[in-house]
Every structure is written in C-alpha cells, then in structure tokens.
Amino acid sequence: MPPIPGSGLAKGLAVTLRTMTKKTVTAQYPDVQPDLPPRSRGVIALFEENCTVCMLCARECPDWCIYIDSHKETVPAAVPGGRERSRNVLDRFAIDFSLCMYCGICIEVCPFDALFWSPEFEYAETDILELTHERDKLRDWMWTVPEPPALDPAAEEPKEIAAARKTVDKLRAQREQEAAEQKAAGQEAAAQTAAEQAAAAQTEAGQEAADREGTQEGQE
C-alpha cells in the first residue's frame, strides 16, 4: 500500500509538538562542570616511577602516538664481589592526543601499572601541535585518577592473594609446630633435670645415712 501523501510531514509535526511541551535541559558548561562517571576515559596519566621502558605500550598502540626515549645506566653491585647491572632510565614519555583514539590498549598491556585513565577532559589547545603532552603533564594528570572501586565482597578471592594466604598459613602452622616441639623438648628437659636432681638428693641422703650408721658402729 503506497504511503499516504503528507504522512511524513504529519509525523514530523507530531514529534515537534511533543518536544515543544517538554522542559529543555541545557548543560551550562563551563560555569557548571559536568557530572562525569568515576571511571570515564578522559586522558592517559603516567606514573613514571613504575615505568621500566619496556616499550610495550608504544609497540601495541594502533596509532603510534606514544613517543618514548631512554638511556641505559650502570647500577653498582649491591654486595662486594657482585656483578654490575644496567637499567633503562626514562628520558621522554609523550602522547599525541591529536592521534590517540582512546582505545586503552596501552593501559591494558602495561605490565607494571604505569598508565591509568584520568577523567580530566579540559586539555583543549589552539594549536594542534600543543596536543602532544610530555611526561610532566601526564604526571600531573596522575593525581586526578580516582581510586579503584571496592571489590565485591561476594567475589572469588584472586588467585595471587589465595596463594599468598596459603603460604602464610603454611608458615604459621610450621612455626607453631616448631614452637610446640621446642616447648615439649623444654618440658622434657625440665622433667629430666628434676629427676636427676631427685636421684642425686636421694643418693646424697643415702650416703648421709650410711655415714651416720658407720659413725655409730665406730663409737660402740
């Protein structure tokens, strides 16, 4: 059945009439800050103390917008006669947010928890070249990262914590067993010492009795 002429216009006018009766809601930004979700993806923050310059984030980035420079330093031996070690020292960590597509792959692949999502979003620039932010700016955003949500009390305990707890319980049981064995050995030693002292006292008493009898016989 062909559409009735003018039905599309009638539908459009009906939508207009419905929206005309509703109260408009306008976000008065920047006078009123938006209420963002606590884990919203604003920018990527850097906790550089955890960065080991493993380059995983730069290699896995689909847009190649992460730039990292580093150099090697020799660490002296911790003990005399030990070997010197070399470590990577971070010189530059920058992200070009004009290329970043906020996929979060760099945060997911970081094995040392050096990258985090920050809800900060006010970083617009008048020049696109200024959207490449260096590690100092990324570090400042680190302090806007919210705390992780609390764990579900009904959730299963993580395997790492369960393994650590099992090890702690095993060590505690071993120490308690060693303490019980030491206590039992101490009690046994104390009992043996008491028995030896009693035997020595009995022997001494018998010797004194024998001496008295010998003295009496000599006097008679």
Side-chain angles (χ1 to χ4, degrees):
M1 180 178 179
I4 301 175
S7 60
L9 178 61
K11 290 180 180 179
L13 291 175
V15 173
T16 302
L17 291 174
R18 284 199 303 269
T19 55
M20 286 177 60
T21 59
K22 293 181 180 179
K23 183 180 179 180
T24 59
V25 179
T26 304
Q28 301 296 333
Y29 178 82
D31 297 330
V32 179
Q33 293 292 322
D35 187 12
L36 298 175
R39 307 302 293 176
S40 59
R41 296 187 176 188
V43 290
I44 299 171
L46 170 68
F47 190 53
E48 60 181 285
E49 283 80 358
N50 288 353
C51 182
T52 61
V53 200
C54 65
M55 304 295 291
L56 277 176
C57 55
R59 288 199 298 265
E60 296 296 331
C61 178
D63 296 329
W64 291 84
C65 63
I66 300 177
Y67 312 113
I68 301 175
D69 292 330
S70 65
H71 69 277
K72 288 186 178 294
E73 283 187 358
T74 301
V75 180
V79 295
R83 290 195 312 171
E84 295 181 345
R85 297 182 303 165
S86 63
R87 66 171 182 175
N88 289 324
V89 178
L90 184 66
D91 292 329
R92 184 193 183 201
F93 195 107
I95 299 178
D96 187 354
F97 285 98
S98 66
L99 298 177
C100 179
M101 64 180 185
Y102 304 90
C103 62
I105 293 178
C106 57
I107 298 175
E108 293 177 3
V109 301
C110 180
F112 302 105
D113 291 335
L115 297 174
F116 298 87
W117 279 118
S118 167
E120 182 68 33
F121 65 94
E122 295 177 319
Y123 57 98
E125 301 290 347
T126 56
D127 188 354
I128 192 173
L129 298 178
E130 299 297 328
L131 285 174
T132 301
H133 294 290
E134 300 293 334
R135 65 176 182 175
D136 294 336
K137 186 65 175 179
L138 302 180
R139 176 60 182 268
D140 291 339
W141 282 331
M142 185 65 208
W143 311 122
T144 64
V145 175
E147 295 183 1
L151 298 177
D152 186 357
E156 183 180 355
E157 188 177 38
K159 295 181 179 179
E160 297 81 2
I161 298 179
R165 192 184 307 279
K166 184 177 180 181
T167 302
V168 170
D169 293 340
K170 184 177 179 180
L171 291 174
R172 184 183 296 112
Q174 184 177 358
R175 291 176 181 175
E176 291 177 354
Q177 182 178 1
E178 290 177 355
E181 291 177 355
Q182 291 177 359
K183 184 177 180 181
Q187 292 176 351
E188 183 179 355
Q192 185 177 0
T193 302
E196 291 176 354
Q197 291 177 352
Q202 185 177 1
T203 302
E204 185 177 356
Q207 184 67 32
E208 291 178 355
D211 292 341
R212 285 198 300 270
E213 290 179 358
T215 303
Q216 290 177 0
E217 291 177 356
Q219 292 177 354
E220 294 175 354

